[in-house]
Amino acid sequence: MRAFQLLPVCILLACSSSSEVVADPDAEPIDGAVDDAGDASTVDGATDAPVGDAPPSDAPPAPTSGKIPLTLEADRGAAAAAVVSLGVPFPPGALASDKSLALFDAAGAEVAITTTVLAKWPADGSIRSVLVAFKTTLAAAAKATWELRYGAPRTLEATGLAANPDGPVAATLPATWLSGSRVSGVLLPVAANKKFATYDTELESQLGKIAWGTFGSNCASTTNHRTYYDSPHGMYQLYARVGDARHYRRAREEAVWYRANELRWYEGRAMAVQVCQPSGWTPSVIIDWGVLRRMLGQGMLDDYLLTGDPAAKEAVLGLGEAYRRNLLALTSGKEVTLEVTERNMAWPLMGLSAYYAIDPRKEVKDALESVVTRTVAWQARGTSGAFEHDIVRPDPSECSNGPAGGSPFMTSLLVDGLMDYHALTLDPRVVDVVKKVAAWYETKAITTDKKAFRYLWNCLSDPYDSSDYADLNLLIGHVFGAAYHLTKDPKWIGFGDTIAASGVEAIYVGRPKQWNQGARAFGRYLGYRAAGAAP
């Protein structure tokens, strides 16, 4: 086996050498109900994915042995034989057994640990994340650097140690490891981001300036809704790109806040729906449009894979099961709710992908694939590469005549969900869909000045040919990174960089919604492009 040294993430991914008009397109009508219920099977918990003829990986083979620095920081007071834990993520193919993972202290002595597999990569059955729990003693504010080694059997076992993600000691991994592991997608560490450093500077600055505690769950206004666009996901993306205790604690705080304040449980705790859903919901009732986009499967999955918290797992399963059982309602009747707007398809796709990531049962996979199949067919019904639909229906005040249009920013959410799905399945259909979408952005949805995308495309009552919405480029830009990642066509890096530059120039992340919008996907663009251009 090859020894692995901690290298910059671009090596892991085989790389080569203000004042703005802020988009707020979120006033949408509430949907009605349909009569038929979906499949009401219960969730039994995670199971192993079958390992058979796996599709080829979309990344170079990962080293199967190596060493990972582990930083311990007693940032919440002194620790005396305290349980410390973390989720340790691995890229596809790197770790076959959690018993091949060992921990060594600063003196080089092995430390007894308890390990639990949190998730596997369904395509090849290798471990995606493993919970590591152990005990340590540290003085208040003290730091220590230990080492995880993988690729050979360990000799010391601890029994019965559970996850303790909020204990007195934060255990963190380097940003190079976290970003390269694909725990939250293909990312680039902040320290390696030279080309668009202003983006990270502004993101970090505003994270500390926003009075997050003054925002809550606001069903009437996305502008004042704290977690809209998935703040836990955005914050965990930033943590994975920085790799320190402060960013870990902040992301963790956001995930815990979301679960405590925004989930309502059904059938015991088998299903979870965001609290803006009117009372009396059952799977036969269409989940409201405004609720679909407040059900944060990506952020809950990040929290689970990086902490092993059972509450995070429960949330992923509960949200995913609610989506799964609601699919019949969402796809029945005169109006197919999933196809009214791109994001109505996107959020269930992201939630079901998160569900399948930790519970790869057949019925979960079938539900997920049914959404993808519907997405592919939706695009194929048009000729533009967009997911064409009546853009008057979501909000007539934004467009009064647009029978066959599309929303560039909503489309980016759908591509994000497709790439989550592709990371799990390597389904080749995704390649063609993303290629067509990227070409649509490049040739049709772009504004005349080539600096942004039309707020709505093919709106006959308003062409939206203005770069006033260039701040949305940070939400959209990952699409072109994904197109490069899937096709290796370098033109998508060149085009993506032009769009990214305009987005960074127009960046506004001064409120929770806009911060989440800017943080949730641009790190993925940086990660994708690092495989083909200097970061």
Side-chain angles (χ1 to χ4, degrees):
M1 295 181 180
R2 293 175 291 166
F4 174 73
Q5 297 182 15
L6 195 62
L7 298 174
V9 67
C10 61
I11 302 296
L12 291 174
L13 298 177
C15 64
S16 62
S17 44
S18 61
S19 294
E20 300 78 21
V21 178
V22 179
D24 191 7
D26 299 307
E28 293 185 347
I30 297 298
D31 297 313
V34 296
D35 295 329
D36 297 322
D39 185 346
S41 60
T42 59
V43 175
D44 297 321
T47 60
D48 289 344
V51 180
D53 294 329
S57 175
D58 63 347
T64 55
S65 63
K67 301 176 181 180
I68 316 167
L70 175 67
T71 300
L72 307 180
E73 181 175 350
D75 60 339
R76 292 188 170 177
V83 175
V84 181
S85 68
L86 75 159
V88 181
F90 288 87
L95 188 68
S97 170
D98 62 307
K99 301 304 180 184
S100 298
L101 184 62
L103 177 63
F104 296 82
D105 65 18
E110 187 175 354
V111 177
I113 59 175
T114 298
T115 58
T116 306
V117 174
L118 300 176
K120 293 184 177 183
W121 291 102
D124 68 2
S126 65
I127 292 173
R128 183 175 185 180
S129 185
V130 57
L131 175 69
V132 177
F134 55 95
K135 291 184 177 182
T136 193
T137 297
L138 277 178
K143 288 186 178 182
T145 300
W146 291 11
E147 187 174 80
L148 287 161
R149 301 176 189 173
Y150 68 98
R154 64 173 176 268
T155 59
L156 295 181
E157 294 281 347
T159 57
L161 299 183
N164 187 26
D166 304 310
V169 177
T172 59
L173 302 171
T176 44
W177 180 265
L178 293 171
S179 294
S181 73
R182 303 190 176 202
V183 65
S184 190
V186 178
L187 301 172
L188 180 74
V190 168
N193 177 24
K194 307 302 182 184
K195 188 171 182 64
F196 300 107
T198 301
Y199 162 77
D200 283 318
T201 299
E202 185 66 10
L203 200 68
E204 183 66 40
S205 173
Q206 294 301 324
L207 175 63
K209 291 179 181 178
I210 295 171
W212 292 86
T214 65
F215 294 85
S217 177
N218 192 314
C219 300
S221 169
T222 61
T223 299
N224 296 313
H225 194 100
R226 171 171 169 163
T227 62
Y228 190 67
Y229 279 117
D230 203 338
S231 55
H233 184 51
M235 291 184 189
Y236 267 117
Q237 291 245 324
L238 185 56
Y239 162 61
R241 300 181 58 232
V242 177
D244 67 1
R246 179 171 64 87
H247 288 88
Y248 163 71
R249 294 293 194 190
R250 184 63 189 89
R252 173 71 183 157
E253 174 189 351
E254 199 69 7
V256 171
W257 188 95
Y258 175 75
R259 288 195 291 274
N261 292 277
E262 295 204 45
L263 294 185
R264 183 180 293 132
W265 293 88
Y266 295 87
E267 293 191 12
R269 297 180 75 84
M271 295 181 290
V273 176
Q274 201 270 345
V275 296
C276 294
Q277 179 70 31
S279 60
W281 179 82
T282 68
S284 67
V285 176
I286 296 171
I287 298 175
D288 292 338
W289 300 4
V291 174
L292 289 174
R293 50 192 158 128
R294 289 173 167 91
M295 294 170 63
L296 310 183
Q298 286 179 314
M300 294 301 96
L301 179 64
D302 292 337
D303 190 37
Y304 178 61
L305 295 178
L306 288 166
T307 72
D309 186 350
K313 177 181 179 180
E314 182 183 46
V316 174
L317 298 177
L319 291 165
E321 185 65 2
Y323 278 135
R324 188 181 76 85
R325 295 198 206 178
N326 200 227
L327 280 181
L328 183 58
L330 289 167
T331 56
S332 299
K334 295 180 179 179
E335 178 178 77
V336 176
T337 299
L338 290 187
E339 297 177 17
V340 172
T341 72
E342 298 93 338
R343 71 176 161 213
N344 280 10
M345 188 79 79
W347 292 106
L349 177 55
M350 288 185 261
L352 287 167
S353 293
Y355 191 8
Y356 180 61
I358 62 174
D359 187 358
R361 289 176 297 131
K362 182 180 185 300
E363 52 264 47
V364 178
K365 184 178 183 181
D366 288 348
L368 173 59
E369 289 186 339
S370 75
V371 174
V372 174
T373 297
R374 184 174 288 274
T375 300
V376 174
W378 183 8
Q379 185 189 52
R381 288 198 297 271
T383 60
S384 64
F387 300 96
E388 296 177 14
H389 60 283
D390 180 0
I391 54 176
V392 179
R393 170 67 175 97
D395 192 341
S397 68
E398 293 181 342
C399 183
S400 61
N401 185 8
S407 168
F409 84 92
M410 291 191 198
T411 297
S412 75
L413 297 171
L414 187 46
V415 172
D416 201 20
L418 286 169
M419 292 304 290
D420 282 353
Y421 165 77
H422 184 264
L424 299 172
T425 66
L426 303 178
D427 187 333
R429 295 179 296 171
V430 174
V431 179
D432 192 50
V433 171
V434 173
K435 284 169 58 178
K436 290 177 180 177
V437 167
W440 166 71
Y441 276 109
E442 180 194 26
T443 61
K444 296 180 174 65
I446 198 163
T447 55
T448 300
D449 65 8
K450 308 295 184 183
K451 293 182 177 180
F453 299 100
R454 299 167 194 270
Y455 183 64
L456 291 172
W457 168 73
N458 219 22
C459 175
L460 304 182
S461 57
D462 186 341
Y464 285 100
D465 190 11
S466 167
S467 56
D468 286 347
Y469 301 105
D471 62 304
L472 290 174
N473 290 6
L474 300 177
L475 179 66
I476 296 169
H478 74 92
V479 173
F480 314 112
Y484 171 73
H485 178 74
L486 295 173
T487 69
K488 298 301 182 285
D489 185 342
K491 85 169 187 176
W492 294 120
I493 295 178
F495 182 72
D497 280 358
T498 299
I499 292 303
S502 296
V504 171
E505 183 179 356
I507 188 172
Y508 174 72
V509 288
R511 292 173 65 86
K513 175 183 174 180
Q514 285 75 31
W515 194 95
N516 303 336
Q517 175 182 285
R520 62 164 287 111
F522 191 67
R524 290 188 176 187
Y525 174 70
L526 297 174
Y528 290 136
R529 77 176 295 280

